[in-house]
Amino acid sequence: MAANSFGEVFRLTSFGESHGQGIGGIIDGCPPRLLIDHEFVQFELNRRRPGQSHLASPRQESDKVEFLSGIIDGVSTGAPIAFAIWNSDQRSGDYDHLKDVYRPSHADYTYQAKYGIRDHKGGGRSSARETIARVVAGAIAKQYLREQGIEIIGYVSAIGSVKLEKSIPVPDLKNVEASLVRCPDVECSKRMQSLIEETKSEGDTLGGIISCHINGMSAGLGAPVFDKFHADLGKAMLSINAVKGFDYGSGFDGVRMKGSEQNDLFVEKEGRIRTMTNNSGGIQGGITNGEEVFFRVAFKPVATVMRDQNTIDSSGNKVLMKGKGRHDVCVVPRAVVIVEAMAAMVAIDHFLRNKIYK
Amino acid sequence: MAANSFGEVFRLTSFGESHGQGIGGIIDGCPPRLLIDHEFVQFELNRRRPGQSHLASPRQESDKVEFLSGIIDGVSTGAPIAFAIWNSDQRSGDYDHLKDVYRPSHADYTYQAKYGIRDHKGGGRSSARETIARVVAGAIAKQYLREQGIEIIGYVSAIGSVKLEKSIPVPDLKNVEASLVRCPDVECSKRMQSLIEETKSEGDTLGGIISCHINGMSAGLGAPVFDKFHADLGKAMLSINAVKGFDYGSGFDGVRMKGSEQNDLFVEKEGRIRTMTNNSGGIQGGITNGEEVFFRVAFKPVATVMRDQNTIDSSGNKVLMKGKGRHDVCVVPRAVVIVEAMAAMVAIDHFLRNKIYK
Amino acid sequence: MAANSFGEVFRLTSFGESHGQGIGGIIDGCPPRLLIDHEFVQFELNRRRPGQSHLASPRQESDKVEFLSGIIDGVSTGAPIAFAIWNSDQRSGDYDHLKDVYRPSHADYTYQAKYGIRDHKGGGRSSARETIARVVAGAIAKQYLREQGIEIIGYVSAIGSVKLEKSIPVPDLKNVEASLVRCPDVECSKRMQSLIEETKSEGDTLGGIISCHINGMSAGLGAPVFDKFHADLGKAMLSINAVKGFDYGSGFDGVRMKGSEQNDLFVEKEGRIRTMTNNSGGIQGGITNGEEVFFRVAFKPVATVMRDQNTIDSSGNKVLMKGKGRHDVCVVPRAVVIVEAMAAMVAIDHFLRNKIYK
Amino acid sequence: MAANSFGEVFRLTSFGESHGQGIGGIIDGCPPRLLIDHEFVQFELNRRRPGQSHLASPRQESDKVEFLSGIIDGVSTGAPIAFAIWNSDQRSGDYDHLKDVYRPSHADYTYQAKYGIRDHKGGGRSSARETIARVVAGAIAKQYLREQGIEIIGYVSAIGSVKLEKSIPVPDLKNVEASLVRCPDVECSKRMQSLIEETKSEGDTLGGIISCHINGMSAGLGAPVFDKFHADLGKAMLSINAVKGFDYGSGFDGVRMKGSEQNDLFVEKEGRIRTMTNNSGGIQGGITNGEEVFFRVAFKPVATVMRDQNTIDSSGNKVLMKGKGRHDVCVVPRAVVIVEAMAAMVAIDHFLRNKIYK
């Protein structure tokens, strides 16, 4: 029932609206004595921030994190870690024209239907700014996981109709960050940028796919029935704004394989049990097998287009909504760090849960 | 941490192994005064049961449900509803050859890695028999939902490389059940059957896709951030054995759409707020908008093939595993009722959660 | 919301009515590879069973536990452990006269008010038979705790106005079990028995107090704010039928002490940090300090008296309710094992939760 | 596992240390469209604040609440309500002498044992300042409950050996607040004040008892087995700093009653089902029966005394700890609002949970 919390042991509860005082959260269950690298948290927030390139939204959001509790001399104490990112340009008047309008494929109408009240400025909780809290929690989770030898790296593998056809066995953060669209393949990256520029000139928007890898997971994480590792990963990804699909390992493509092709045969390599292929995406029966975990996340195109759209207002009157404002053509490159953050939260949660069995 | 429980308000906790005394569960939070139609529960169990056609496994499992508590004179009392389906041919000796072998793409190795102990007979909790408990809980959830005007119907839309290309706007249970593969399109159904028979003769196995629709949902179900309706649906589906992917609405295909194509424009029809298209799959910002909810679930092929496979045993020795036993070539047709059951559990849970806001 | 579940990591979900098919439960989160001593479970059930002495109810309940899952070759597998104790004399006709009557200080009226339906035979879930499930789960928890050097022992320290004045520093199970009223002090035990016999002849009933000790707990169990070790203990005890109060350490008596008397001064003994006194009852700031945990639980007298009582029926009519049936004068001696069981569940839960910090 | 959260539907997650940046929390699940009376929240905070009288601590804490999210135009939106009370005199140097010392009957040692790290300034999470977050959440809960006709009122019924012997059938907030010790009986209040002044001159401290009443509860709140209304109340109270005991209705005194005295006979009054007496404290079988709920909470004396005490430091060396600093002789009067706040959180939680059954 705690609809604004995620995780069982390492648990983020988030708060805030895009046009209120700020976005923040409380992390309950962070292990004590963890060195919190404030700069790394900020680095991750910067990866999510709009305005990173001319391709992205020109809004300037500073997004400086402030920690409010749970850390002493740079080290976690085991107490809840509260944090906030204060909004700099809150409650401005730009949104009055949206007060009674239900924007197509936004959450305006469904919020009104659920709560009978709605914060029309920036969408309230449905704003993508809410994901800031996830990035902070994910950055802390990553620091713990790194100490356990676990690394998480995502990249953009499709934007609109442009798809990265080759697989990237070991994606490298430098190569990902070197690309304006966070696609580590230089040639494909260029085609994606061209498509974004072209689509921008049309006042239209794009979706895409993020691929993500988790390396260094030991075997045994996840639970057999409802809390399968990939089921929790899937919920985590599907809870991100604009996500429409999730698969892992051979995924939807695996449907066309025969069992004899799909099966990952076991072998022993250097004293460890390994599989020859990895169609399982590192997870068998819901539990990690020590191979690389990888998965894909599908994002729909941004709902706010720079075109006129017919819609209705809260009284049911027809309204022509003008396309205006400062918005991304494609948020997928900025969402890479959010996908990684949610993956990190699932990974640390199952890692800590599994300590009970030791 | 309750890894064998699903749901917040309407909550199933399941138990049992395929070769133990039985499979069962406890449903906590079933609303009181609900008429429990025992025959409908059995009807649903029969839809999951192996041996329904010559295409499926020839094992005979009776799968009669016995209710142990929470029902008086056929009506729920608000107390937990416990139930069991007793195994008829438990703990037979057919599985001794598997005692130390890690079957490819099964959960044998990962269970051993997690628990340090493993029930090698039938896979313990990783057996697909575990889903019996879900079908019972789902059948009860469906009865409650039906009283609210909510219907759930799934069907097979792909088996291996055979895909149903046309969309089925209003799937009909009769048409689904009339098909041996639960595909309501007669022609496509035939091609699927041919593929299954051909694959069976090769000793190989097949995966597929189940499409599922939820009709009659009012607007306002689901929560905005982590407990989005589709995030909970996704976790539910990904927790089913052999599932590798989930999407809803325009899903993975929506990636290639532009925002102007993807957006569902609002209109007023007969005093209700509706959308002209339904790329959102009935969910916007994680909350239902009153349109039909629909989604797809990808299943990998069955891991047990009737072919020899190289693998290793728990000591790391190479083993040639012979293909033998009684197994389905394709479980997807039998999984339709499981998909529906999990969808019903998510729907009733959010329906009941939403009563708090009334 | 899972109102029939207790515990976070080691979690019991219980089911059953006193006059249905049986009482049982599912234990989720029992550590794997634990040897389950079936005889010890039965020994504990026998301690709870009515009809142990001429002082107790003459009903014969066999109360044989049957395990349904999660155990293989006598060892836990990490899978949920389901169990049932089948009722032998279910749904008999003795209760028809109670169908529409609200018995004083029973849950008849409140159940009707909550659920709009009520199982009048034996009180449904409010029956003390429900505690059978707790005793089974507690017996398994005790076996795990014993391996960690933790022992739990309770005894009766008051029945009605007869109170054990002396404190029992190290209560011994043999001495407790040697007493018909489970009071290890021979003289006091006799006075309690006399009071019970006297009260029985009057057709009246008695309450009492159970004192309970947990020995061998290491320092560090419990959480600082809401999940204080004694807060979870308190909830556990107050969830037992007929319990009206709970205190620990100096408890209600500590109210009259000055701070300088109450404070437990630290000393070092044999390389360990200890306290000179133990008014804290082994818990400081909600976290165990390694000293003995002890607490008291107050039970009201049994509500079913062998006297006529005025009450009303569900239509609001005045009714004279005759005292009849087979009931205990005082259930407190039989409740000792229930108190211990709930304490064991709290202790194992916090023990396992604490492994995350290691 | 979320050890800093309380409640299932109306859920507070709290953060902060007494000498960090502030204390605060997130309320998740507050019903939308509730008018939040900021002044009432502040009134409640002022009741908890030190320095209210010469009897209490002379520290000046402003304790102004700032709401960070979830409220628009003074009304709750259904989004999480975050709030903070910033500390004014944080991280001062007064606490260096406590860095390595384990204060008797404080949580210093147990924190170190649990987390391996400790915030020695003001006790970290074990500080009573943490209860500020509870008071804010309780104040909001009270506003919702008031709309349902439910009122909660507590008062001091004992300080040290001075006990209010008469019962207060309908306590009045004005009379409570008129007393410096929050005891509505003028004569008893004076004796309590004298005792506090006398004890202060001795450099010692006092405990006490708070009695609390909940009026206007409808029948049907609470759950029959583990989540009994009084079990959740008990946990709530026992989670407050320095609480050592809880009872309700006839409580510990009921132990000495016979069943025939204890039982509350049902009668019909003005078309409602009532009880003639209320030894049940308004709760039968864990569910409210519509009568007044009342309970008692026992507080131990403050651990910080103005006397020298022998203790040890973290290296095990004997240390003489000087009594100094600014501390209350008796915190019980200030704790009344905390007891009420926790009661309000339990009441709103069960009230909202019960809507599912409607």
Side-chain angles (χ1 to χ4, degrees):
Chain A
M1 297 293 301
N4 292 280
S5 295
F6 187 84
E8 292 280 320
V9 173
F10 182 96
R11 186 173 180 89
L12 169 67
T13 302
S14 79
F15 72 85
E17 291 87 21
S18 63
H19 289 67
Q21 280 158 275
I23 300 286
I26 300 174
I27 301 163
D28 198 1
C30 181
R33 306 183 307 278
L34 176 68
L35 204 66
I36 308 291
D37 182 346
H38 207 106
E39 280 180 40
F40 177 68
V41 178
Q42 199 59 52
F43 170 74
E44 293 284 271
L45 280 171
N46 293 347
R47 292 175 73 202
R48 196 212 73 94
R49 198 162 48 86
Q52 299 170 59
S53 80
H54 70 286
L55 297 171
S57 153
R59 277 173 298 168
Q60 288 302 331
E61 302 179 65
S62 56
D63 291 354
K64 296 281 177 210
V65 67
E66 183 181 358
F67 288 106
L68 305 174
S69 68
I71 299 174
I72 188 164
D73 300 333
V75 172
S76 68
T77 62
I81 299 175
F83 60 89
I85 294 89
W86 307 112
N87 291 334
S88 46
D89 60 344
Q90 66 190 75
R91 300 274 170 215
S92 61
D94 317 35
Y95 294 85
D96 273 3
H97 62 293
L98 297 175
K99 199 172 174 187
D100 297 312
V101 175
Y102 294 144
R103 289 170 296 165
S105 288
H106 275 89
D108 301 338
Y109 167 60
T110 54
Y111 265 57
Q112 189 70 38
K114 184 173 193 74
Y115 298 112
I117 185 174
R118 171 168 77 90
D119 182 358
H120 69 278
K121 293 177 184 161
R125 291 293 282 163
S126 72
S127 162
R129 263 188 84 71
E130 172 272 325
T131 56
I132 286 180
R134 308 180 186 217
V135 172
V136 174
I140 290 174
K142 277 182 179 178
Q143 295 177 50
Y144 181 85
L145 293 168
R146 191 164 291 157
E147 292 187 0
Q148 319 301 328
I150 299 168
E151 292 286 343
I152 296 168
I153 178 102
Y155 59 93
V156 173
S157 57
I159 285 186
S161 52
V162 179
K163 196 175 167 184
L164 177 64
E165 294 297 343
K166 68 176 80 157
S167 78
I168 306 279
V170 188
D172 186 277
L173 180 61
K174 267 183 224 157
N175 297 341
V176 172
E177 293 302 298
S179 159
L180 285 178
V181 291
R182 290 207 168 85
C183 174
D185 183 85
V186 176
E187 187 274 330
C188 186
S189 175
K190 279 182 192 161
R191 286 195 291 132
M192 288 171 173
Q193 292 178 48
S194 301
L195 179 63
I196 289 175
E197 284 170 4
E198 183 190 313
T199 307
K200 189 178 188 177
S201 69
E202 296 163 358
D204 219 330
T205 59
L206 291 163
I209 295 178
I210 291 173
S211 296
C212 189
H213 297 240
I214 312 177
N215 286 291
M217 298 275 279
S218 55
L221 305 194
V225 181
F226 297 113
D227 292 359
K228 290 182 162 81
F229 191 84
H230 59 263
D232 283 341
L233 260 187
K235 169 161 177 167
M237 298 307 145
L238 289 156
S239 78
I240 300 173
N241 295 33
V243 171
K244 302 296 293 273
F246 167 88
D247 66 3
Y248 77 101
S250 59
F252 271 94
D253 293 338
V255 166
R256 286 186 300 273
M257 297 166 88
K258 296 282 172 70
S260 58
E261 299 165 294
Q262 167 79 33
N263 283 355
D264 297 318
L265 302 186
F266 284 110
V267 283
E268 198 183 355
K269 279 189 200 164
E270 298 155 13
R272 272 185 59 202
I273 292 171
R274 304 291 305 271
T275 60
M276 292 183 68
T277 49
N278 189 13
N279 290 310
S280 301
I283 305 166
Q284 292 176 327
I287 301 170
T288 57
N289 66 357
E291 301 296 322
E292 184 185 52
V293 172
F294 63 92
F295 58 92
R296 296 189 311 152
V297 187
F299 288 77
K300 70 166 188 171
V302 173
T304 304
V305 294
M306 292 303 100
R307 292 176 170 199
D308 295 353
Q309 291 180 104
N310 291 310
T311 188
I312 57 174
D313 65 16
S314 54
S315 312
N317 302 314
K318 286 184 191 175
V319 176
L320 181 70
M321 207 183 76
K322 296 279 178 187
K324 64 172 182 174
R326 311 160 301 178
H327 292 280
D328 287 323
V329 174
C330 181
V331 294
V332 181
R334 287 172 50 205
V336 168
V337 69
I338 304 167
V339 164
E340 291 173 3
M342 293 307 294
M345 277 200 276
V346 172
I348 194 174
D349 204 47
H350 277 287
F351 187 92
L352 294 173
R353 285 170 72 166
N354 207 47
K355 291 182 84 169
I356 292 162
Y357 293 97
K358 299 294 169 191
Chain B
M1 296 293 301
N4 292 281
S5 295
F6 188 84
E8 292 280 321
V9 174
F10 183 96
R11 187 175 180 88
L12 168 68
T13 301
S14 78
F15 72 85
E17 291 87 21
S18 63
H19 289 68
Q21 278 157 278
I23 300 286
I26 300 176
I27 300 163
D28 199 0
C30 182
R33 306 183 306 278
L34 176 69
L35 203 67
I36 308 290
D37 182 345
H38 207 107
E39 279 180 40
F40 177 68
V41 178
Q42 199 59 53
F43 170 74
E44 293 284 271
L45 280 171
N46 292 348
R47 291 174 73 203
R48 196 212 72 94
R49 198 162 49 86
Q52 299 170 57
S53 80
H54 70 287
L55 297 171
S57 153
R59 277 172 297 170
Q60 288 303 331
E61 302 180 65
S62 56
D63 290 354
K64 296 281 177 211
V65 66
E66 183 181 359
F67 287 106
L68 306 174
S69 67
I71 299 172
I72 188 164
D73 300 334
V75 172
S76 68
T77 63
I81 299 175
F83 60 90
I85 294 89
W86 306 113
N87 291 333
S88 46
D89 60 344
Q90 68 191 75
R91 303 273 170 213
S92 61
D94 317 35
Y95 294 83
D96 273 2
H97 61 295
L98 296 175
K99 198 171 175 189
D100 297 311
V101 174
Y102 294 145
R103 290 170 296 165
S105 288
H106 275 88
D108 301 338
Y109 166 60
T110 54
Y111 265 57
Q112 188 69 38
K114 184 173 194 74
Y115 298 113
I117 185 174
R118 172 168 75 90
D119 182 358
H120 69 280
K121 291 177 184 162
R125 291 293 282 163
S126 72
S127 162
R129 262 188 86 71
E130 173 272 326
T131 56
I132 286 180
R134 307 179 186 218
V135 172
V136 174
I140 290 174
K142 277 182 179 179
Q143 295 178 50
Y144 182 84
L145 293 168
R146 191 165 291 157
E147 291 187 0
Q148 318 300 329
I150 299 168
E151 292 286 343
I152 296 167
I153 177 105
Y155 59 92
V156 173
S157 57
I159 286 186
S161 52
V162 178
K163 196 175 167 184
L164 178 65
E165 294 298 342
K166 68 174 80 157
S167 78
I168 307 279
V170 188
D172 187 278
L173 181 62
K174 265 182 224 159
N175 296 341
V176 172
E177 293 303 297
S179 159
L180 285 178
V181 292
R182 290 205 168 85
C183 174
D185 182 85
V186 176
E187 187 274 330
C188 186
S189 174
K190 279 183 190 158
R191 286 194 291 131
M192 288 171 173
Q193 292 177 47
S194 301
L195 178 62
I196 290 175
E197 283 170 4
E198 182 189 315
T199 308
K200 189 179 187 177
S201 70
E202 295 163 358
D204 219 330
T205 59
L206 292 163
I209 295 177
I210 291 173
S211 295
C212 188
H213 297 238
I214 312 178
N215 285 292
M217 298 275 278
S218 56
L221 305 193
V225 181
F226 297 112
D227 292 359
K228 290 182 163 83
F229 192 83
H230 59 262
D232 283 341
L233 260 186
K235 170 161 176 166
M237 298 307 145
L238 289 156
S239 78
I240 300 172
N241 295 32
V243 171
K244 302 296 292 273
F246 167 87
D247 66 4
Y248 77 102
S250 60
F252 271 93
D253 293 339
V255 166
R256 286 186 300 273
M257 296 166 90
K258 297 280 172 72
S260 58
E261 300 166 294
Q262 166 79 33
N263 282 355
D264 298 318
L265 302 186
F266 284 110
V267 285
E268 198 183 354
K269 280 189 201 164
E270 298 155 14
R272 270 185 62 202
I273 291 171
R274 303 290 306 272
T275 61
M276 292 183 67
T277 49
N278 190 13
N279 290 311
S280 301
I283 305 166
Q284 292 177 325
I287 302 171
T288 57
N289 65 358
E291 302 296 322
E292 183 184 54
V293 172
F294 63 92
F295 57 91
R296 297 189 309 152
V297 187
F299 289 77
K300 68 167 190 171
V302 173
T304 305
V305 294
M306 292 303 101
R307 292 175 171 200
D308 295 353
Q309 291 180 105
N310 290 311
T311 189
I312 57 174
D313 65 17
S314 54
S315 313
N317 302 316
K318 287 183 190 175
V319 178
L320 182 70
M321 208 183 76
K322 295 279 179 189
K324 64 172 182 174
R326 312 160 299 179
H327 292 280
D328 287 323
V329 173
C330 180
V331 294
V332 181
R334 287 173 48 204
V336 168
V337 69
I338 304 167
V339 164
E340 291 173 2
M342 294 307 294
M345 277 200 274
V346 172
I348 194 174
D349 204 46
H350 278 287
F351 187 92
L352 295 172
R353 284 170 73 165
N354 207 46
K355 292 182 83 168
I356 291 162
Y357 293 96
K358 298 295 169 193
Chain C
M1 296 295 298
N4 292 281
S5 295
F6 187 84
E8 293 280 321
V9 173
F10 183 95
R11 187 172 179 89
L12 169 67
T13 301
S14 79
F15 73 85
E17 291 87 21
S18 63
H19 289 67
Q21 277 157 279
I23 300 286
I26 300 176
I27 301 162
D28 198 2
C30 181
R33 306 183 306 276
L34 176 68
L35 203 68
I36 307 291
D37 182 345
H38 207 107
E39 279 180 41
F40 177 67
V41 178
Q42 200 58 54
F43 170 74
E44 293 284 272
L45 280 171
N46 292 347
R47 291 175 73 202
R48 196 213 73 93
R49 198 161 49 85
Q52 298 169 59
S53 79
H54 71 286
L55 297 171
S57 153
R59 278 173 297 169
Q60 288 303 331
E61 302 179 66
S62 56
D63 291 353
K64 296 283 177 208
V65 67
E66 183 181 358
F67 288 106
L68 306 174
S69 68
I71 299 173
I72 188 163
D73 301 333
V75 171
S76 67
T77 62
I81 299 175
F83 60 90
I85 294 87
W86 306 113
N87 291 334
S88 46
D89 60 344
Q90 67 191 75
R91 301 274 170 214
S92 59
D94 317 36
Y95 294 84
D96 274 1
H97 63 293
L98 296 175
K99 198 170 176 189
D100 297 312
V101 174
Y102 294 144
R103 289 169 297 164
S105 288
H106 275 88
D108 302 337
Y109 167 61
T110 54
Y111 266 57
Q112 188 69 40
K114 184 174 194 72
Y115 298 112
I117 186 174
R118 172 169 75 89
D119 182 358
H120 69 279
K121 291 176 185 162
R125 290 292 283 163
S126 72
S127 161
R129 262 189 85 71
E130 173 272 326
T131 56
I132 285 180
R134 307 178 187 219
V135 172
V136 173
I140 290 174
K142 277 182 178 179
Q143 294 178 50
Y144 181 84
L145 293 168
R146 190 165 291 157
E147 291 187 359
Q148 319 300 329
I150 299 167
E151 292 285 342
I152 296 169
I153 176 104
Y155 58 92
V156 173
S157 58
I159 286 185
S161 53
V162 178
K163 194 175 168 184
L164 178 63
E165 295 297 342
K166 66 174 82 159
S167 78
I168 306 280
V170 189
D172 186 278
L173 180 62
K174 265 183 225 157
N175 297 342
V176 173
E177 293 302 299
S179 159
L180 285 178
V181 292
R182 291 207 167 84
C183 174
D185 182 85
V186 176
E187 186 274 330
C188 186
S189 173
K190 279 182 192 160
R191 287 194 292 131
M192 288 172 173
Q193 292 177 47
S194 302
L195 178 62
I196 289 175
E197 283 170 5
E198 183 189 314
T199 308
K200 188 179 189 177
S201 71
E202 295 163 359
D204 220 330
T205 59
L206 291 164
I209 295 176
I210 292 173
S211 296
C212 187
H213 298 238
I214 312 178
N215 286 291
M217 298 274 279
S218 55
L221 306 193
V225 180
F226 297 113
D227 292 359
K228 289 182 164 83
F229 192 84
H230 58 262
D232 283 340
L233 261 186
K235 170 160 176 168
M237 298 307 145
L238 289 155
S239 77
I240 300 172
N241 296 32
V243 170
K244 302 296 291 275
F246 167 88
D247 66 4
Y248 77 102
S250 59
F252 272 93
D253 292 340
V255 167
R256 286 187 300 272
M257 296 165 88
K258 297 282 172 70
S260 58
E261 299 166 295
Q262 167 78 33
N263 283 355
D264 297 319
L265 303 185
F266 285 110
V267 283
E268 197 183 354
K269 279 189 199 165
E270 298 156 13
R272 271 185 61 203
I273 292 172
R274 304 290 307 271
T275 61
M276 291 183 68
T277 49
N278 190 12
N279 290 311
S280 301
I283 304 167
Q284 292 176 326
I287 302 170
T288 57
N289 65 358
E291 301 296 321
E292 184 184 54
V293 171
F294 63 91
F295 58 91
R296 297 189 310 153
V297 188
F299 289 77
K300 69 166 188 172
V302 173
T304 304
V305 294
M306 293 303 101
R307 291 174 171 201
D308 296 353
Q309 292 179 104
N310 290 311
T311 189
I312 57 175
D313 65 18
S314 54
S315 313
N317 302 315
K318 286 184 190 174
V319 177
L320 182 70
M321 206 183 78
K322 294 280 178 186
K324 65 172 182 175
R326 311 159 300 178
H327 293 279
D328 287 323
V329 174
C330 181
V331 294
V332 182
R334 286 173 49 205
V336 168
V337 70
I338 304 167
V339 164
E340 291 173 3
M342 293 307 294
M345 278 199 274
V346 172
I348 193 174
D349 203 48
H350 277 287
F351 187 92
L352 294 172
R353 285 171 72 166
N354 207 46
K355 291 181 83 169
I356 291 163
Y357 294 97
K358 298 295 169 190
Chain D
M1 295 292 301
N4 292 281
S5 295
F6 186 84
E8 293 280 320
V9 174
F10 183 96
R11 186 174 180 87
L12 169 67
T13 301
S14 78
F15 73 85
E17 292 87 21
S18 63
H19 289 67
Q21 278 158 276
I23 300 286
I26 300 175
I27 301 163
D28 198 1
C30 182
R33 307 183 306 278
L34 177 68
L35 204 67
I36 307 292
D37 183 344
H38 207 106
E39 280 181 40
F40 177 68
V41 178
Q42 199 59 54
F43 170 74
E44 293 284 271
L45 281 171
N46 293 347
R47 292 175 73 203
R48 196 213 73 93
R49 197 161 50 86
Q52 299 169 59
S53 79
H54 70 286
L55 298 171
S57 154
R59 279 173 296 169
Q60 287 304 330
E61 303 179 63
S62 57
D63 290 355
K64 296 281 177 209
V65 68
E66 183 182 358
F67 287 106
L68 306 174
S69 68
I71 299 173
I72 188 163
D73 299 333
V75 171
S76 67
T77 63
I81 299 175
F83 60 90
I85 294 89
W86 307 113
N87 290 335
S88 46
D89 60 344
Q90 68 191 72
R91 301 273 171 215
S92 60
D94 318 35
Y95 294 85
D96 273 2
H97 61 293
L98 296 175
K99 198 172 174 189
D100 297 312
V101 173
Y102 294 145
R103 289 170 297 164
S105 288
H106 275 88
D108 302 337
Y109 167 60
T110 54
Y111 265 57
Q112 188 70 39
K114 185 173 192 73
Y115 298 112
I117 185 174
R118 170 169 77 88
D119 182 358
H120 68 279
K121 290 176 185 163
R125 290 292 283 163
S126 72
S127 161
R129 263 189 83 72
E130 173 272 326
T131 56
I132 285 181
R134 308 179 186 217
V135 172
V136 173
I140 290 174
K142 277 182 179 178
Q143 295 178 50
Y144 181 85
L145 294 168
R146 191 165 292 157
E147 291 188 0
Q148 320 299 329
I150 300 168
E151 292 285 343
I152 296 169
I153 177 104
Y155 59 93
V156 173
S157 57
I159 287 185
S161 52
V162 178
K163 194 176 168 184
L164 178 64
E165 294 297 344
K166 67 175 81 159
S167 78
I168 308 279
V170 188
D172 186 278
L173 180 61
K174 266 182 226 159
N175 297 342
V176 173
E177 294 302 298
S179 159
L180 285 178
V181 292
R182 291 207 168 83
C183 173
D185 183 86
V186 177
E187 186 274 329
C188 186
S189 174
K190 280 182 191 158
R191 286 194 291 131
M192 289 171 173
Q193 293 177 49
S194 302
L195 179 61
I196 289 175
E197 283 170 3
E198 183 190 312
T199 308
K200 189 180 189 177
S201 70
E202 295 163 359
D204 219 331
T205 59
L206 291 163
I209 294 176
I210 292 173
S211 295
C212 188
H213 298 239
I214 312 177
N215 285 291
M217 297 276 278
S218 55
L221 305 193
V225 181
F226 297 112
D227 292 359
K228 288 181 164 84
F229 191 84
H230 58 263
D232 282 342
L233 261 186
K235 170 160 177 168
M237 298 307 145
L238 289 155
S239 78
I240 300 172
N241 295 33
V243 170
K244 302 296 293 274
F246 167 88
D247 66 4
Y248 77 102
S250 59
F252 271 92
D253 293 338
V255 166
R256 287 186 299 272
M257 296 165 88
K258 297 280 171 73
S260 58
E261 299 166 293
Q262 167 78 33
N263 284 354
D264 297 319
L265 302 186
F266 285 110
V267 283
E268 197 183 356
K269 280 189 198 164
E270 298 154 14
R272 272 186 59 203
I273 291 172
R274 304 291 306 273
T275 61
M276 293 183 67
T277 49
N278 188 13
N279 290 310
S280 302
I283 305 166
Q284 292 176 325
I287 301 170
T288 57
N289 65 358
E291 301 295 324
E292 183 184 56
V293 172
F294 63 92
F295 58 92
R296 296 189 311 152
V297 187
F299 289 77
K300 68 167 189 170
V302 174
T304 305
V305 294
M306 293 302 101
R307 292 176 171 199
D308 296 352
Q309 292 180 104
N310 290 311
T311 188
I312 57 174
D313 65 18
S314 54
S315 313
N317 303 313
K318 286 184 191 174
V319 177
L320 182 71
M321 208 183 75
K322 294 279 178 187
K324 63 172 182 176
R326 311 160 300 179
H327 292 279
D328 286 323
V329 173
C330 181
V331 294
V332 181
R334 287 173 49 205
V336 168
V337 69
I338 304 168
V339 163
E340 292 173 1
M342 293 307 295
M345 278 200 274
V346 172
I348 194 174
D349 204 47
H350 278 287
F351 187 92
L352 294 172
R353 285 171 72 166
N354 207 45
K355 291 181 84 169
I356 291 163
Y357 293 97
K358 298 296 168 190

